[in-house]
Short mmCIF file of all heavy atoms in Angstrom, two decimals:
data_model
loop_
_atom_site.label_atom_id
_atom_site.label_comp_id
_atom_site.label_asym_id
_atom_site.label_seq_id
_atom_site.Cartn_x
_atom_site.Cartn_y
_atom_site.Cartn_z
N MET Y 18 -9.36 -9.93 2.56
CA MET Y 18 -8.60 -8.75 2.23
C MET Y 18 -7.78 -9.06 0.98
O MET Y 18 -7.06 -10.05 0.92
CB MET Y 18 -7.70 -8.41 3.43
CG MET Y 18 -6.66 -7.41 3.14
SD MET Y 18 -5.53 -6.96 4.49
CE MET Y 18 -6.37 -7.33 5.96
N LYS Y 19 -7.91 -8.22 -0.02
CA LYS Y 19 -7.19 -8.39 -1.28
C LYS Y 19 -6.01 -7.42 -1.31
O LYS Y 19 -6.19 -6.21 -1.31
CB LYS Y 19 -8.14 -8.12 -2.44
CG LYS Y 19 -7.53 -8.29 -3.79
CD LYS Y 19 -7.40 -9.73 -4.15
CE LYS Y 19 -6.94 -9.83 -5.59
NZ LYS Y 19 -6.62 -11.17 -5.95
N LEU Y 20 -4.81 -7.95 -1.28
CA LEU Y 20 -3.61 -7.12 -1.31
C LEU Y 20 -3.11 -6.98 -2.73
O LEU Y 20 -3.14 -7.94 -3.50
CB LEU Y 20 -2.51 -7.74 -0.45
CG LEU Y 20 -2.79 -7.88 1.04
CD1 LEU Y 20 -1.64 -8.59 1.71
CD2 LEU Y 20 -3.06 -6.55 1.67
N CYS Y 21 -2.64 -5.77 -3.07
CA CYS Y 21 -2.06 -5.51 -4.38
C CYS Y 21 -0.82 -4.65 -4.21
O CYS Y 21 -0.75 -3.83 -3.29
CB CYS Y 21 -3.04 -4.77 -5.28
SG CYS Y 21 -4.50 -5.70 -5.68
N GLN Y 22 0.12 -4.82 -5.10
CA GLN Y 22 1.34 -4.02 -5.07
C GLN Y 22 0.97 -2.56 -5.33
O GLN Y 22 0.17 -2.25 -6.21
CB GLN Y 22 2.30 -4.53 -6.12
CG GLN Y 22 3.68 -3.96 -6.01
CD GLN Y 22 4.65 -4.74 -6.85
OE1 GLN Y 22 4.67 -5.95 -6.81
NE2 GLN Y 22 5.44 -4.03 -7.63
N GLY Y 23 1.53 -1.65 -4.54
CA GLY Y 23 1.27 -0.24 -4.70
C GLY Y 23 0.16 0.30 -3.81
O GLY Y 23 -0.06 1.51 -3.77
N GLN Y 24 -0.56 -0.57 -3.11
CA GLN Y 24 -1.61 -0.09 -2.20
C GLN Y 24 -1.01 0.72 -1.07
O GLN Y 24 0.09 0.45 -0.61
CB GLN Y 24 -2.36 -1.27 -1.58
CG GLN Y 24 -3.38 -1.88 -2.46
CD GLN Y 24 -4.12 -3.02 -1.77
OE1 GLN Y 24 -3.61 -3.63 -0.84
NE2 GLN Y 24 -5.31 -3.30 -2.23
N VAL Y 25 -1.77 1.73 -0.62
CA VAL Y 25 -1.35 2.55 0.50
C VAL Y 25 -2.39 2.42 1.60
O VAL Y 25 -3.59 2.59 1.36
CB VAL Y 25 -1.19 4.03 0.08
CG1 VAL Y 25 -0.78 4.88 1.27
CG2 VAL Y 25 -0.18 4.17 -1.03
N TRP Y 26 -1.93 2.12 2.79
CA TRP Y 26 -2.78 1.95 3.97
C TRP Y 26 -2.40 3.00 4.99
O TRP Y 26 -1.23 3.38 5.10
CB TRP Y 26 -2.59 0.56 4.57
CG TRP Y 26 -3.01 -0.56 3.67
CD1 TRP Y 26 -2.31 -1.06 2.62
CD2 TRP Y 26 -4.22 -1.30 3.75
NE1 TRP Y 26 -3.01 -2.08 2.04
CE2 TRP Y 26 -4.18 -2.26 2.71
CE3 TRP Y 26 -5.32 -1.28 4.60
CZ2 TRP Y 26 -5.20 -3.16 2.51
CZ3 TRP Y 26 -6.33 -2.18 4.39
CH2 TRP Y 26 -6.28 -3.11 3.35
N LYS Y 27 -3.37 3.47 5.78
CA LYS Y 27 -3.08 4.43 6.84
C LYS Y 27 -3.43 3.78 8.17
O LYS Y 27 -4.53 3.29 8.38
CB LYS Y 27 -3.89 5.71 6.66
CG LYS Y 27 -3.55 6.72 7.74
CD LYS Y 27 -4.16 8.05 7.49
CE LYS Y 27 -3.67 8.98 8.59
NZ LYS Y 27 -4.16 10.32 8.43
N GLN Y 28 -2.45 3.80 9.06
CA GLN Y 28 -2.64 3.26 10.40
C GLN Y 28 -2.16 4.31 11.39
O GLN Y 28 -0.96 4.52 11.54
CB GLN Y 28 -1.88 1.96 10.58
CG GLN Y 28 -2.13 1.31 11.92
CD GLN Y 28 -1.44 -0.02 12.02
OE1 GLN Y 28 -0.44 -0.27 11.36
NE2 GLN Y 28 -1.98 -0.88 12.83
N GLY Y 29 -3.10 4.98 12.03
CA GLY Y 29 -2.74 6.06 12.94
C GLY Y 29 -2.15 7.22 12.16
O GLY Y 29 -2.76 7.74 11.24
N LYS Y 30 -0.91 7.63 12.50
CA LYS Y 30 -0.23 8.71 11.80
C LYS Y 30 0.74 8.19 10.74
O LYS Y 30 1.44 8.95 10.09
CB LYS Y 30 0.54 9.57 12.80
CG LYS Y 30 -0.36 10.29 13.77
CD LYS Y 30 0.44 11.14 14.72
CE LYS Y 30 -0.47 11.84 15.70
NZ LYS Y 30 0.29 12.65 16.65
N GLU Y 31 0.76 6.88 10.56
CA GLU Y 31 1.73 6.24 9.68
C GLU Y 31 1.05 5.73 8.41
O GLU Y 31 -0.08 5.27 8.43
CB GLU Y 31 2.35 5.06 10.43
CG GLU Y 31 3.33 4.25 9.67
CD GLU Y 31 3.84 3.08 10.48
OE1 GLU Y 31 3.03 2.41 11.15
OE2 GLU Y 31 5.04 2.83 10.43
N TYR Y 32 1.76 5.84 7.29
CA TYR Y 32 1.30 5.30 6.02
C TYR Y 32 2.14 4.08 5.68
O TYR Y 32 3.35 4.07 5.90
CB TYR Y 32 1.44 6.34 4.90
CG TYR Y 32 0.55 7.53 5.07
CD1 TYR Y 32 1.03 8.68 5.69
CD2 TYR Y 32 -0.76 7.52 4.64
CE1 TYR Y 32 0.22 9.79 5.86
CE2 TYR Y 32 -1.58 8.61 4.80
CZ TYR Y 32 -1.09 9.74 5.41
OH TYR Y 32 -1.89 10.83 5.58
N ILE Y 33 1.50 3.06 5.13
CA ILE Y 33 2.18 1.83 4.76
C ILE Y 33 1.90 1.57 3.29
O ILE Y 33 0.74 1.47 2.89
CB ILE Y 33 1.69 0.64 5.62
CG1 ILE Y 33 2.00 0.90 7.09
CG2 ILE Y 33 2.29 -0.66 5.14
CD1 ILE Y 33 1.33 -0.06 8.04
N ARG Y 34 2.97 1.48 2.47
CA ARG Y 34 2.83 1.25 1.04
C ARG Y 34 3.46 -0.08 0.68
O ARG Y 34 4.61 -0.36 1.03
CB ARG Y 34 3.50 2.36 0.24
CG ARG Y 34 3.34 2.20 -1.26
CD ARG Y 34 3.82 3.40 -2.03
NE ARG Y 34 5.13 3.87 -1.65
CZ ARG Y 34 6.26 3.49 -2.25
NH1 ARG Y 34 6.24 2.62 -3.21
NH2 ARG Y 34 7.41 3.98 -1.83
N ILE Y 35 2.72 -0.93 -0.02
CA ILE Y 35 3.23 -2.23 -0.45
C ILE Y 35 4.16 -2.01 -1.65
O ILE Y 35 3.75 -1.50 -2.67
CB ILE Y 35 2.08 -3.18 -0.82
CG1 ILE Y 35 1.18 -3.41 0.39
CG2 ILE Y 35 2.63 -4.50 -1.34
CD1 ILE Y 35 -0.05 -4.23 0.09
N VAL Y 36 5.42 -2.41 -1.48
CA VAL Y 36 6.41 -2.23 -2.52
C VAL Y 36 6.50 -3.48 -3.39
O VAL Y 36 6.52 -3.40 -4.62
CB VAL Y 36 7.79 -1.92 -1.90
CG1 VAL Y 36 8.86 -1.83 -2.96
CG2 VAL Y 36 7.72 -0.65 -1.08
N ARG Y 37 6.56 -4.64 -2.76
CA ARG Y 37 6.68 -5.91 -3.47
C ARG Y 37 5.81 -6.94 -2.78
O ARG Y 37 5.84 -7.08 -1.57
CB ARG Y 37 8.13 -6.38 -3.48
CG ARG Y 37 8.39 -7.63 -4.29
CD ARG Y 37 9.87 -7.99 -4.32
NE ARG Y 37 10.51 -7.98 -3.02
CZ ARG Y 37 10.55 -9.02 -2.20
NH1 ARG Y 37 9.99 -10.15 -2.54
NH2 ARG Y 37 11.17 -8.92 -1.04
N LEU Y 38 5.02 -7.63 -3.57
CA LEU Y 38 4.09 -8.62 -3.02
C LEU Y 38 4.36 -9.96 -3.68
O LEU Y 38 4.33 -10.08 -4.90
CB LEU Y 38 2.65 -8.17 -3.29
CG LEU Y 38 1.54 -9.02 -2.72
CD1 LEU Y 38 1.59 -9.04 -1.20
CD2 LEU Y 38 0.19 -8.50 -3.18
N GLU Y 39 4.67 -10.94 -2.86
CA GLU Y 39 4.90 -12.30 -3.36
C GLU Y 39 3.92 -13.24 -2.67
O GLU Y 39 3.10 -12.81 -1.88
CB GLU Y 39 6.35 -12.72 -3.09
CG GLU Y 39 7.35 -11.91 -3.88
CD GLU Y 39 8.77 -12.38 -3.67
OE1 GLU Y 39 8.99 -13.33 -2.89
OE2 GLU Y 39 9.67 -11.78 -4.28
N ARG Y 40 4.05 -14.51 -2.97
CA ARG Y 40 3.10 -15.49 -2.45
C ARG Y 40 3.11 -15.54 -0.93
O ARG Y 40 2.05 -15.55 -0.30
CB ARG Y 40 3.43 -16.86 -3.03
CG ARG Y 40 2.46 -17.92 -2.63
CD ARG Y 40 2.68 -19.18 -3.44
NE ARG Y 40 1.86 -20.22 -2.88
CZ ARG Y 40 2.33 -21.27 -2.23
NH1 ARG Y 40 3.63 -21.41 -2.06
NH2 ARG Y 40 1.52 -22.19 -1.75
N LEU Y 41 4.27 -15.57 -0.30
CA LEU Y 41 4.36 -15.70 1.15
C LEU Y 41 5.06 -14.53 1.83
O LEU Y 41 5.22 -14.55 3.04
CB LEU Y 41 5.09 -17.01 1.51
CG LEU Y 41 4.42 -18.29 1.05
CD1 LEU Y 41 5.31 -19.48 1.35
CD2 LEU Y 41 3.07 -18.47 1.70
N GLU Y 42 5.47 -13.54 1.07
CA GLU Y 42 6.28 -12.46 1.63
C GLU Y 42 5.82 -11.11 1.09
O GLU Y 42 5.39 -10.99 -0.04
CB GLU Y 42 7.74 -12.71 1.24
CG GLU Y 42 8.73 -11.81 1.92
CD GLU Y 42 10.15 -12.21 1.57
OE1 GLU Y 42 10.60 -11.88 0.47
OE2 GLU Y 42 10.78 -12.87 2.41
N VAL Y 43 5.91 -10.10 1.96
CA VAL Y 43 5.54 -8.74 1.58
C VAL Y 43 6.68 -7.80 1.94
O VAL Y 43 7.22 -7.87 3.04
CB VAL Y 43 4.25 -8.28 2.32
CG1 VAL Y 43 3.90 -6.85 1.97
CG2 VAL Y 43 3.09 -9.20 2.03
N GLU Y 44 7.05 -6.94 1.00
CA GLU Y 44 8.01 -5.89 1.27
C GLU Y 44 7.22 -4.59 1.26
O GLU Y 44 6.51 -4.29 0.31
CB GLU Y 44 9.08 -5.87 0.19
CG GLU Y 44 10.18 -4.87 0.43
CD GLU Y 44 11.28 -4.96 -0.61
OE1 GLU Y 44 11.37 -5.98 -1.33
OE2 GLU Y 44 12.05 -4.00 -0.72
N TYR Y 45 7.31 -3.84 2.36
CA TYR Y 45 6.54 -2.61 2.45
C TYR Y 45 7.40 -1.48 2.99
O TYR Y 45 8.44 -1.70 3.58
CB TYR Y 45 5.30 -2.80 3.34
CG TYR Y 45 5.58 -3.07 4.79
CD1 TYR Y 45 5.57 -2.02 5.72
CD2 TYR Y 45 5.83 -4.35 5.26
CE1 TYR Y 45 5.82 -2.25 7.06
CE2 TYR Y 45 6.08 -4.58 6.59
CZ TYR Y 45 6.07 -3.53 7.49
OH TYR Y 45 6.32 -3.76 8.82
N LYS Y 46 6.93 -0.25 2.74
CA LYS Y 46 7.63 0.93 3.19
C LYS Y 46 6.72 1.65 4.18
O LYS Y 46 5.55 1.88 3.91
CB LYS Y 46 7.96 1.83 2.01
CG LYS Y 46 8.96 2.90 2.30
CD LYS Y 46 9.32 3.63 1.03
CE LYS Y 46 10.81 3.79 0.96
NZ LYS Y 46 11.22 4.53 -0.22
N SER Y 47 7.29 2.01 5.32
CA SER Y 47 6.57 2.74 6.36
C SER Y 47 6.93 4.22 6.23
O SER Y 47 8.09 4.59 6.30
CB SER Y 47 6.98 2.19 7.72
OG SER Y 47 6.36 2.92 8.74
N LEU Y 48 5.91 5.07 6.00
CA LEU Y 48 6.12 6.49 5.75
C LEU Y 48 5.36 7.34 6.75
O LEU Y 48 4.28 6.97 7.19
CB LEU Y 48 5.60 6.85 4.34
CG LEU Y 48 6.08 5.99 3.19
CD1 LEU Y 48 5.13 6.12 2.02
CD2 LEU Y 48 7.45 6.42 2.78
N LEU Y 49 5.91 8.49 7.08
CA LEU Y 49 5.21 9.44 7.94
C LEU Y 49 4.40 10.42 7.10
O LEU Y 49 3.42 10.98 7.57
CB LEU Y 49 6.19 10.19 8.84
CG LEU Y 49 6.88 9.31 9.89
CD1 LEU Y 49 7.89 10.14 10.68
CD2 LEU Y 49 5.87 8.69 10.82
N SER Y 50 4.80 10.64 5.85
CA SER Y 50 4.10 11.56 4.95
C SER Y 50 4.14 10.98 3.55
O SER Y 50 5.17 10.49 3.10
CB SER Y 50 4.78 12.92 4.98
OG SER Y 50 4.27 13.74 3.95
N LEU Y 51 3.02 11.06 2.84
CA LEU Y 51 2.98 10.56 1.47
C LEU Y 51 3.74 11.46 0.52
O LEU Y 51 4.27 11.03 -0.49
CB LEU Y 51 1.54 10.41 1.01
CG LEU Y 51 0.75 9.28 1.65
CD1 LEU Y 51 -0.68 9.29 1.15
CD2 LEU Y 51 1.39 7.94 1.37
N ALA Y 52 3.84 12.74 0.83
CA ALA Y 52 4.53 13.69 -0.03
C ALA Y 52 6.05 13.51 0.04
O ALA Y 52 6.75 13.78 -0.93
CB ALA Y 52 4.16 15.11 0.36
N ASN Y 53 6.56 13.05 1.17
CA ASN Y 53 7.99 12.95 1.40
C ASN Y 53 8.62 11.75 0.69
O ASN Y 53 9.72 11.84 0.17
CB ASN Y 53 8.27 12.88 2.90
CG ASN Y 53 9.71 13.07 3.24
OD1 ASN Y 53 10.58 12.82 2.44
ND2 ASN Y 53 9.95 13.50 4.45
N LYS Y 54 7.97 10.62 0.68
CA LYS Y 54 8.45 9.36 0.10
C LYS Y 54 9.67 8.78 0.80
O LYS Y 54 10.25 7.82 0.34
CB LYS Y 54 8.74 9.52 -1.39
CG LYS Y 54 7.54 9.97 -2.19
CD LYS Y 54 7.48 9.31 -3.49
CE LYS Y 54 6.28 9.86 -4.23
NZ LYS Y 54 5.69 8.98 -5.11
N LYS Y 55 10.12 9.37 1.90
CA LYS Y 55 11.21 8.79 2.67
C LYS Y 55 10.60 7.99 3.81
O LYS Y 55 9.71 8.44 4.50
CB LYS Y 55 12.10 9.89 3.24
CG LYS Y 55 12.91 10.61 2.19
CD LYS Y 55 13.85 11.60 2.82
CE LYS Y 55 14.65 12.32 1.75
NZ LYS Y 55 15.54 13.32 2.33
N GLY Y 56 11.12 6.79 3.98
CA GLY Y 56 10.63 5.93 5.03
C GLY Y 56 11.52 4.73 5.20
O GLY Y 56 12.57 4.62 4.57
N THR Y 57 11.08 3.81 6.04
CA THR Y 57 11.87 2.61 6.29
C THR Y 57 11.26 1.43 5.54
O THR Y 57 10.05 1.28 5.48
CB THR Y 57 11.93 2.30 7.80
OG1 THR Y 57 10.60 2.18 8.30
CG2 THR Y 57 12.65 3.40 8.54
N LEU Y 58 12.13 0.61 4.97
CA LEU Y 58 11.72 -0.55 4.20
C LEU Y 58 11.73 -1.77 5.11
O LEU Y 58 12.69 -1.99 5.85
CB LEU Y 58 12.69 -0.74 3.04
CG LEU Y 58 12.25 -1.61 1.89
CD1 LEU Y 58 10.99 -1.05 1.23
CD2 LEU Y 58 13.36 -1.71 0.87
N HIS Y 59 10.67 -2.57 5.04
CA HIS Y 59 10.53 -3.77 5.87
C HIS Y 59 10.15 -4.95 5.00
O HIS Y 59 9.45 -4.79 4.00
CB HIS Y 59 9.44 -3.58 6.93
CG HIS Y 59 9.63 -2.39 7.80
ND1 HIS Y 59 10.41 -2.40 8.92
CD2 HIS Y 59 9.13 -1.14 7.71
CE1 HIS Y 59 10.38 -1.21 9.49
NE2 HIS Y 59 9.61 -0.42 8.76
N VAL Y 60 10.58 -6.15 5.39
CA VAL Y 60 10.18 -7.39 4.73
C VAL Y 60 9.62 -8.31 5.81
O VAL Y 60 10.23 -8.50 6.86
CB VAL Y 60 11.39 -8.07 4.04
CG1 VAL Y 60 10.95 -9.37 3.39
CG2 VAL Y 60 12.00 -7.14 3.01
N THR Y 61 8.43 -8.84 5.55
CA THR Y 61 7.78 -9.71 6.53
C THR Y 61 6.93 -10.75 5.80
O THR Y 61 6.74 -10.68 4.58
CB THR Y 61 6.91 -8.88 7.50
OG1 THR Y 61 6.43 -9.72 8.54
CG2 THR Y 61 5.74 -8.22 6.81
N SER Y 62 6.40 -11.69 6.56
CA SER Y 62 5.52 -12.69 5.96
C SER Y 62 4.16 -12.06 5.70
O SER Y 62 3.78 -11.06 6.31
CB SER Y 62 5.36 -13.89 6.89
OG SER Y 62 4.62 -13.53 8.03
N LYS Y 63 3.43 -12.63 4.77
CA LYS Y 63 2.11 -12.10 4.44
C LYS Y 63 1.17 -12.19 5.64
O LYS Y 63 0.36 -11.30 5.87
CB LYS Y 63 1.53 -12.88 3.26
CG LYS Y 63 0.36 -12.19 2.60
CD LYS Y 63 -0.17 -12.98 1.44
CE LYS Y 63 0.40 -12.48 0.16
NZ LYS Y 63 -0.23 -13.09 -1.02
N LYS Y 64 1.31 -13.22 6.43
CA LYS Y 64 0.48 -13.41 7.61
C LYS Y 64 0.71 -12.29 8.63
O LYS Y 64 -0.23 -11.69 9.15
CB LYS Y 64 0.77 -14.77 8.24
CG LYS Y 64 -0.13 -15.14 9.39
CD LYS Y 64 0.18 -16.56 9.84
CE LYS Y 64 -0.78 -17.01 10.91
NZ LYS Y 64 -0.55 -18.40 11.28
N ASP Y 65 1.98 -11.98 8.90
CA ASP Y 65 2.29 -10.89 9.84
C ASP Y 65 1.86 -9.54 9.28
O ASP Y 65 1.44 -8.66 10.03
CB ASP Y 65 3.79 -10.88 10.16
CG ASP Y 65 4.19 -12.02 11.07
OD1 ASP Y 65 3.30 -12.57 11.77
OD2 ASP Y 65 5.38 -12.36 11.09
N PHE Y 66 1.98 -9.36 7.97
CA PHE Y 66 1.57 -8.10 7.35
C PHE Y 66 0.06 -7.89 7.50
O PHE Y 66 -0.39 -6.78 7.79
CB PHE Y 66 1.97 -8.07 5.88
CG PHE Y 66 1.70 -6.77 5.22
CD1 PHE Y 66 2.47 -5.65 5.49
CD2 PHE Y 66 0.66 -6.64 4.31
CE1 PHE Y 66 2.22 -4.44 4.88
CE2 PHE Y 66 0.40 -5.44 3.69
CZ PHE Y 66 1.19 -4.33 3.97
N CYS Y 67 -0.71 -8.93 7.32
CA CYS Y 67 -2.16 -8.82 7.49
C CYS Y 67 -2.52 -8.49 8.93
O CYS Y 67 -3.47 -7.74 9.19
CB CYS Y 67 -2.85 -10.10 7.04
SG CYS Y 67 -2.82 -10.31 5.24
N ARG Y 68 -1.78 -9.02 9.87
CA ARG Y 68 -1.99 -8.67 11.29
C ARG Y 68 -1.67 -7.20 11.53
O ARG Y 68 -2.34 -6.53 12.30
CB ARG Y 68 -1.12 -9.54 12.19
CG ARG Y 68 -1.58 -10.96 12.28
CD ARG Y 68 -0.69 -11.75 13.20
NE ARG Y 68 -1.05 -13.14 13.19
CZ ARG Y 68 -0.24 -14.13 13.47
NH1 ARG Y 68 1.02 -13.87 13.81
NH2 ARG Y 68 -0.64 -15.37 13.43
N LEU Y 69 -0.64 -6.70 10.87
CA LEU Y 69 -0.26 -5.30 10.98
C LEU Y 69 -1.36 -4.38 10.48
O LEU Y 69 -1.61 -3.32 11.04
CB LEU Y 69 1.03 -5.06 10.19
CG LEU Y 69 1.53 -3.63 10.07
CD1 LEU Y 69 2.08 -3.17 11.42
CD2 LEU Y 69 2.59 -3.53 9.01
N LEU Y 70 -2.07 -4.81 9.43
CA LEU Y 70 -3.10 -3.99 8.82
C LEU Y 70 -4.47 -4.16 9.46
O LEU Y 70 -5.46 -3.62 8.95
CB LEU Y 70 -3.22 -4.34 7.33
CG LEU Y 70 -2.03 -4.03 6.46
CD1 LEU Y 70 -2.33 -4.43 5.03
CD2 LEU Y 70 -1.65 -2.58 6.54
N LYS Y 71 -4.55 -4.84 10.57
CA LYS Y 71 -5.84 -5.15 11.19
C LYS Y 71 -6.70 -3.91 11.42
O LYS Y 71 -7.89 -3.92 11.12
CB LYS Y 71 -5.61 -5.88 12.51
CG LYS Y 71 -6.88 -6.41 13.13
CD LYS Y 71 -6.59 -7.23 14.35
CE LYS Y 71 -7.87 -7.78 14.93
NZ LYS Y 71 -7.64 -8.52 16.15
N ASP Y 72 -6.14 -2.83 11.94
CA ASP Y 72 -6.92 -1.61 12.20
C ASP Y 72 -6.63 -0.51 11.19
O ASP Y 72 -7.04 0.63 11.39
CB ASP Y 72 -6.60 -1.09 13.62
CG ASP Y 72 -7.02 -2.09 14.68
OD1 ASP Y 72 -8.03 -2.78 14.47
OD2 ASP Y 72 -6.32 -2.19 15.71
N ALA Y 73 -5.96 -0.82 10.11
CA ALA Y 73 -5.58 0.20 9.11
C ALA Y 73 -6.71 0.40 8.11
O ALA Y 73 -7.56 -0.46 7.90
CB ALA Y 73 -4.32 -0.24 8.40
N LYS Y 74 -6.68 1.57 7.48
CA LYS Y 74 -7.67 1.92 6.45
C LYS Y 74 -6.97 1.99 5.10
O LYS Y 74 -5.90 2.58 4.97
CB LYS Y 74 -8.29 3.29 6.73
CG LYS Y 74 -8.93 3.41 8.08
CD LYS Y 74 -10.28 2.79 8.09
CE LYS Y 74 -10.92 3.06 9.44
NZ LYS Y 74 -11.97 2.19 9.76
N LEU Y 75 -7.58 1.39 4.09
CA LEU Y 75 -7.04 1.43 2.74
C LEU Y 75 -7.36 2.78 2.11
O LEU Y 75 -8.51 3.20 2.09
CB LEU Y 75 -7.62 0.30 1.89
CG LEU Y 75 -7.22 0.25 0.42
CD1 LEU Y 75 -5.72 0.04 0.28
CD2 LEU Y 75 -7.98 -0.84 -0.29
N LEU Y 76 -6.33 3.45 1.61
CA LEU Y 76 -6.54 4.72 0.91
C LEU Y 76 -6.74 4.40 -0.57
O LEU Y 76 -5.96 3.68 -1.18
CB LEU Y 76 -5.33 5.64 1.08
CG LEU Y 76 -4.96 6.01 2.51
CD1 LEU Y 76 -3.75 6.90 2.51
CD2 LEU Y 76 -6.12 6.68 3.21
N THR Y 77 -7.80 4.94 -1.14
CA THR Y 77 -8.08 4.68 -2.54
C THR Y 77 -7.58 5.84 -3.38
O THR Y 77 -7.61 6.99 -2.95
CB THR Y 77 -9.59 4.51 -2.78
OG1 THR Y 77 -10.27 5.68 -2.32
CG2 THR Y 77 -10.13 3.30 -2.04
N ALA Y 78 -7.13 5.52 -4.54
CA ALA Y 78 -6.66 6.56 -5.47
C ALA Y 78 -7.86 7.28 -6.03
O ALA Y 78 -8.93 6.69 -6.24
CB ALA Y 78 -5.84 5.93 -6.58
N LYS Y 79 -7.70 8.57 -6.29
CA LYS Y 79 -8.80 9.34 -6.87
C LYS Y 79 -9.02 8.85 -8.29
O LYS Y 79 -8.08 8.71 -9.06
CB LYS Y 79 -8.46 10.83 -6.89
CG LYS Y 79 -8.37 11.42 -5.52
CD LYS Y 79 -8.04 12.89 -5.62
CE LYS Y 79 -7.90 13.48 -4.24
NZ LYS Y 79 -7.51 14.88 -4.27
N PRO Y 80 -10.28 8.59 -8.65
CA PRO Y 80 -10.53 8.12 -10.01
C PRO Y 80 -10.25 9.23 -11.02
O PRO Y 80 -10.61 10.38 -10.80
CB PRO Y 80 -12.01 7.75 -10.00
CG PRO Y 80 -12.59 8.47 -8.84
CD PRO Y 80 -11.48 8.67 -7.86
N THR Y 81 -9.59 8.88 -12.09
CA THR Y 81 -9.29 9.87 -13.12
C THR Y 81 -10.47 9.97 -14.06
O THR Y 81 -11.04 8.96 -14.46
CB THR Y 81 -8.02 9.48 -13.90
OG1 THR Y 81 -8.23 8.18 -14.46
CG2 THR Y 81 -6.80 9.46 -13.01
N PRO Y 82 -10.86 11.19 -14.41
CA PRO Y 82 -12.00 11.33 -15.33
C PRO Y 82 -11.62 10.80 -16.71
O PRO Y 82 -10.50 10.99 -17.18
CB PRO Y 82 -12.26 12.83 -15.36
CG PRO Y 82 -11.00 13.45 -14.90
CD PRO Y 82 -10.32 12.45 -14.00
N LEU Y 83 -12.57 10.14 -17.33
CA LEU Y 83 -12.31 9.59 -18.66
C LEU Y 83 -12.34 10.72 -19.67
O LEU Y 83 -13.23 11.56 -19.68
CB LEU Y 83 -13.37 8.55 -19.02
CG LEU Y 83 -13.40 7.30 -18.15
CD1 LEU Y 83 -14.60 6.43 -18.54
CD2 LEU Y 83 -12.13 6.52 -18.32
N SER Y 84 -11.34 10.75 -20.50
CA SER Y 84 -11.31 11.80 -21.52
C SER Y 84 -12.25 11.43 -22.66
O SER Y 84 -12.44 10.26 -22.97
CB SER Y 84 -9.88 11.99 -22.04
OG SER Y 84 -9.45 10.77 -22.61
N ASP Y 85 -12.88 12.45 -23.22
CA ASP Y 85 -13.79 12.20 -24.34
C ASP Y 85 -12.98 11.80 -25.57
O ASP Y 85 -11.99 12.42 -25.90
CB ASP Y 85 -14.60 13.45 -24.65
CG ASP Y 85 -15.51 13.83 -23.50
OD1 ASP Y 85 -15.94 12.91 -22.77
OD2 ASP Y 85 -15.80 15.03 -23.33
N GLU Y 86 -13.43 10.76 -26.20
CA GLU Y 86 -12.74 10.30 -27.39
C GLU Y 86 -13.12 11.20 -28.56
O GLU Y 86 -14.28 11.53 -28.76
CB GLU Y 86 -13.10 8.85 -27.71
CG GLU Y 86 -12.56 7.88 -26.70
CD GLU Y 86 -12.87 6.45 -27.10
OE1 GLU Y 86 -13.08 6.18 -28.30
OE2 GLU Y 86 -12.92 5.61 -26.20
N VAL Y 87 -12.13 11.59 -29.31
CA VAL Y 87 -12.34 12.45 -30.45
C VAL Y 87 -12.34 11.56 -31.70
O VAL Y 87 -11.38 10.88 -31.98
CB VAL Y 87 -11.24 13.53 -30.57
CG1 VAL Y 87 -11.46 14.39 -31.79
CG2 VAL Y 87 -11.20 14.34 -29.29
N THR Y 88 -13.44 11.60 -32.41
CA THR Y 88 -13.52 10.82 -33.65
C THR Y 88 -13.38 11.77 -34.82
O THR Y 88 -14.01 12.82 -34.88
CB THR Y 88 -14.85 10.06 -33.74
OG1 THR Y 88 -15.92 11.00 -33.64
CG2 THR Y 88 -14.96 9.03 -32.63
N GLU Y 89 -12.55 11.38 -35.74
CA GLU Y 89 -12.34 12.23 -36.92
C GLU Y 89 -12.76 11.51 -38.15
O GLU Y 89 -12.73 10.38 -38.29
CB GLU Y 89 -10.88 12.63 -37.02
CG GLU Y 89 -10.47 13.51 -35.87
CD GLU Y 89 -9.02 13.93 -36.00
OE1 GLU Y 89 -8.47 13.97 -37.10
OE2 GLU Y 89 -8.43 14.23 -34.95
#
């Protein structure tokens, strides 16, 4: 599992967003809605965080269409 800062995971009805990622520690925010952005902030070890994400699904960002380059 490759963790990156800013990833959003969905576990049941809860969303988990990685706020800060370090070598041995993860700071994440637990949200009920992605639109609200209000949630609780947690700090845990990377090992415990990976256990938390065991049944979670990674939400991928929608790819942005590449704009056509204009040559003049």
Side-chain angles (χ1 to χ4, degrees):
M18 168 181 336
K19 181 77 173 172
L20 297 177
C21 296
Q22 191 167 313
Q24 281 182 336
V25 179
W26 296 78
K27 182 172 183 178
Q28 184 176 26
K30 295 181 181 179
E31 178 183 43
Y32 294 95
I33 298 169
R34 182 171 49 94
I35 300 175
V36 176
R37 184 176 49 88
L38 184 63
E39 293 183 359
R40 184 169 171 250
L41 298 175
E42 189 174 78
V43 178
E44 184 175 343
Y45 66 96
K46 194 174 225 182
S47 177
L48 309 159
L49 293 177
S50 170
L51 289 177
N53 192 336
K54 302 218 182 210
K55 290 184 180 178
T57 56
L58 198 60
H59 305 275
V60 179
T61 187
S62 69
K63 195 180 263 189
K64 186 175 184 176
D65 287 339
F66 185 73
C67 289
R68 288 181 186 155
L69 174 72
L70 295 180
K71 188 174 182 183
D72 297 326
K74 303 281 185 200
L75 176 63
L76 301 180
T77 57
K79 293 180 182 177
T81 57
L83 296 174
S84 60
D85 296 330
E86 292 183 24
V87 178
T88 56
E89 294 182 25

